[in-house]
Amino acid sequence: MKNETVKENMLISSLKNGDVSAIEKIIEDFSGYVCTVIRNFSRDRLSGEDMEELAADVFIRLWQSRERLDSDCGLKPYISAIARNAVKNRFRSLAPSAEDIEEVEAASDFDLAESVEMSQMLRCLEQGLSEVTKKQKEIFLRFYFYGEKTSEIGQKMNLNPSTVRCELTRTRVGLKEYLTERGFDHV
């Protein structure tokens, strides 16, 4: 795990310095992850071509915003946020019904806008997650960062989907309180 973090930090550093081989390595290592986030977050409502286009857009966006990367946060949160925002934007551009937009936006309690404050909030969120149970943390990460549905999480973790939803609610309430106490009262 520690070696992965060191490798990721080196990739982020190289990427921030404009090293094209770093983005190539990131594309190689994270393409599957990006496609999974896009597929899960879009609820399988995008064509294969749309998913491929969005995945390419994610890496282009990552390259364009490389200066803002923070090695303390890792790549997955950034990549996941870019992918989720790309899906939201795609649905908006397709002029979906209000129900479709609400369903996609409901999958995330946080507006993962690109800003310095986001980086600070992610760090604070990570600290808050270190104070919940291992089960709650895994459920939270699977739902919000990997885009898995509660039924999938329940199946993978051998839990009833209602238990998963209950744990998500408890974790959200606790994290919201934790973040609010630390000045992130707009989440």
Side-chain angles (χ1 to χ4, degrees), residues 96-107:
S97 68
E99 181 181 297
D100 288 340
I101 291 174
E102 287 174 12
E103 185 175 330
V104 170
E105 289 180 343

Side-chain angles (χ1 to χ4, degrees), residues 54-73:
L54 286 179
D57 289 347
V58 167
F59 294 112
I60 290 169
R61 186 73 181 257
L62 179 65
W63 176 258
Q64 292 171 337
S65 62
R66 66 187 180 273
E67 300 86 24
R68 290 182 239 148
L69 288 173
D70 182 353
S71 58
D72 291 338
C73 294

Side-chain angles (χ1 to χ4, degrees), residues 9-173:
N9 288 344
M10 289 173 53
L11 270 177
I12 290 171
S13 178
S14 295
L15 186 67
K16 287 175 79 167
N17 290 326
D19 183 355
V20 175
S21 65
I23 192 70
E24 291 170 349
K25 179 68 173 152
I26 290 168
I27 291 169
E28 181 183 315
D29 291 350
F30 290 92
S31 288
Y33 172 72
V34 167
C35 289
T36 299
V37 171
I38 291 170
R39 187 186 67 248
N40 289 342
F41 200 69
S42 69
R43 314 276 183 186
D44 276 332
R45 286 186 277 166
L46 294 174
S47 69
E49 292 167 347
D50 284 339
M51 287 178 49
E52 286 178 26
E53 183 180 334
L54 286 179
D57 289 347
V58 167
F59 294 112
I60 290 169
R61 186 73 181 257
L62 179 65
W63 176 258
Q64 292 171 337
S65 62
R66 66 187 180 273
E67 300 86 24
R68 290 182 239 148
L69 288 173
D70 182 353
S71 58
D72 291 338
C73 294
L75 282 170
K76 279 190 175 182
Y78 284 108
I79 291 172
S80 179
I82 294 170
R84 289 193 306 264
N85 286 333
V87 171
K88 285 180 189 179
N89 291 337
R90 176 57 54 99
F91 279 122
R92 285 186 186 114
S93 73
L94 296 174
S97 68
E99 181 181 297
D100 288 340
I101 291 174
E102 287 174 12
E103 185 175 330
V104 170
E105 289 180 343
S108 176
D109 277 353
F110 303 106
D111 178 13
L112 298 173
E114 297 172 2
S115 70
V116 173
E117 186 178 12
M118 179 58 207
S119 175
Q120 293 169 342
M121 186 173 77
L122 279 173
R123 238 182 260 123
C124 188
L125 178 62
E126 187 177 337
Q127 291 168 348
L129 282 172
S130 70
E131 296 187 12
V132 300
T133 67
K134 184 178 178 181
K135 177 172 77 171
Q136 287 174 321
K137 181 177 181 177
E138 183 174 351
I139 291 170
F140 185 87
L141 292 175
R142 284 179 177 273
F143 187 79
Y144 287 106
F145 287 88
Y146 304 127
E148 293 179 7
K149 299 175 184 174
T150 55
S151 58
E152 292 174 68
I153 297 169
Q155 187 177 17
K156 290 177 181 176
M157 294 182 66
N158 229 9
L159 298 170
N160 186 313
S162 63
T163 302
V164 171
R165 288 188 294 276
C166 183
E167 291 294 338
L168 271 173
T169 300
R170 285 184 188 142
T171 306
R172 272 194 305 261
V173 168

